[in-house]
Amino acid sequence: MTSMNRRDALRAVAVTASGGLLMSQQAFAQEAGASASQTAALLQGADVCAIVPEVTEGPYYFDPAMERVNITEGRPGIPTRIRLQVVDAGCAPMPGARVDIWHCDATGVYSGYAGQGDDGSIDTTGEAFMRGTQFADDNGIAEFETVYPSWYRGRTTHIHFKIFLDETNILTGQIFFPDALSEYIYLNVAPYNDRASARDTLNSNDSIAAQSTRTAFALIKELDEEYLVAMIVGVDPAAQSAVGFSMGAPGGDRPEQPEGGAGSQMGGPSGSADRATMTPPVKGL
């Protein structure tokens, strides 16, 4: 996709600021090429450090034990940088938080499972693309290089995340994208537009997007060669997970776990965390 096409896509939407910005307003403004006053305008009405509600993990989680920034494994799509900042309700960063993300690729397929695709014929058993772990830095920031996710039946465009302190302090959530931008991409950009089926779910009729509230809608900015998807994730260090932690079951048929139902408002770490003491740790670290 050309730079002009990406600009056209962003012009076609009123890009939401509902996830807030990462770092300080000044630091984000400098990177995004905007003035501090312009950045502040983007934040108008945002739930900057609001506690993000916990939602279902969904059927496609497993821990591939891969601490890495680039999670694409060479698969095609529009380059996209995911930048999450983990904070408490008072906007204090939570360094050392373990952050996992996972999502479908540009064709709507997750790694590690059979029975996928519009006709159920795709098997990605043994693969781990679009999955990875990072540990939040001193500012609570974790960053991933990936591609813009596609869609699959029954769900709007989204990226999953988990934030860990231990087996009970886990926030399971999802990141959502502007529908107009997604629709532009899916109609005009390969391989997103190489599908026979029509998208059947938007933000407006996705129950999990509704449960997540506006705090889970990311700010999207266009950089020279990629999109920047930025979101502050507010967590409650005292909360305990209703969803919890499960390793999932990579490989085999798609598990019969519905992507529905509301969880509790959840927490993550309250300060620096040594990787060796985190539960569950990334294997081999």
Side-chain angles (χ1 to χ4, degrees):
M1 186 179 187
T2 67
S3 179
M4 181 59 69
N5 282 338
R6 289 191 289 115
R7 291 191 181 98
D8 288 345
L10 280 174
R11 288 193 189 106
V13 301
V15 179
T16 178
S18 296
L21 299 178
L22 306 183
M23 307 175 285
S24 66
Q25 290 185 13
Q26 293 80 5
F28 189 94
Q30 183 177 6
E31 175 152 3
S35 69
S37 61
Q38 288 172 322
T39 305
L42 287 173
L43 275 172
Q44 186 175 2
D47 296 308
V48 178
C49 297
I51 301 301
V52 175
E54 181 174 61
V55 296
T56 180
E57 177 183 286
Y60 290 120
Y61 179 71
F62 70 89
D63 174 13
M66 290 182 177
E67 183 185 359
R68 57 185 182 174
V69 173
N70 191 316
I71 63 174
T72 64
E73 298 191 359
R75 296 180 83 87
I78 297 173
T80 300
R81 180 182 304 181
I82 306 298
R83 184 175 290 162
L84 302 179
Q85 185 177 33
V86 185
V87 301
D88 64 17
C91 293
M94 293 186 172
R98 172 181 162 174
V99 181
D100 288 10
I101 72 168
W102 71 102
H103 64 88
C104 68
D105 68 3
T107 67
V109 171
Y110 285 84
S111 59
Y113 292 92
Q116 296 189 76
D118 296 336
D119 61 0
S121 65
I122 298 176
D123 185 349
T124 59
T125 301
E127 299 186 68
F129 56 83
M130 312 305 173
R131 300 179 186 273
T133 293
Q134 284 286 284
F135 290 85
D137 66 14
D138 290 343
N139 294 312
I141 295 170
E143 186 169 290
F144 299 86
E145 292 288 346
T146 186
V147 301
Y148 198 95
S150 191
W151 60 275
Y152 53 96
R153 285 195 299 269
R155 289 305 317 279
T156 192
T157 308
H158 65 283
I159 288 178
H160 299 264
F161 67 84
K162 279 182 177 286
I163 298 171
F164 294 91
L165 177 62
D166 55 37
E167 290 184 344
T168 57
N169 285 51
I170 306 163
L171 170 63
T172 301
Q174 297 182 22
I175 305 166
F176 297 93
F177 297 77
D179 271 329
L181 176 59
S182 296
E183 198 67 10
Y184 180 97
I185 290 169
Y186 301 156
L187 292 174
N188 294 283
V189 183
Y192 300 93
N193 61 355
D194 293 340
R195 299 174 65 177
S197 299
R199 186 176 177 216
D200 65 352
T201 307
L202 304 175
N203 294 334
S204 59
N205 62 333
D206 185 287
S207 62
I208 299 173
Q211 294 163 19
S212 299
T213 74
R214 67 180 187 172
T215 63
F217 283 82
L219 173 77
I220 300 182
K221 297 290 288 184
E222 184 193 22
L223 305 182
D224 287 343
E225 301 295 335
E226 63 185 358
Y227 286 136
L228 171 62
V229 175
M231 195 172 90
I232 286 178
V233 183
V235 300
D236 177 2
Q240 293 198 346
S241 176
V243 173
F245 173 75
S246 64
M247 290 292 293
D253 293 333
R254 180 182 184 276
E256 294 299 323
Q257 180 181 352
E259 289 208 52
S264 64
Q265 288 190 335
M266 260 311 304
S270 55
S272 296
D274 186 322
R275 295 182 192 181
T277 65
M278 292 188 71
T279 305
V282 174
K283 297 180 181 65
L285 295 181

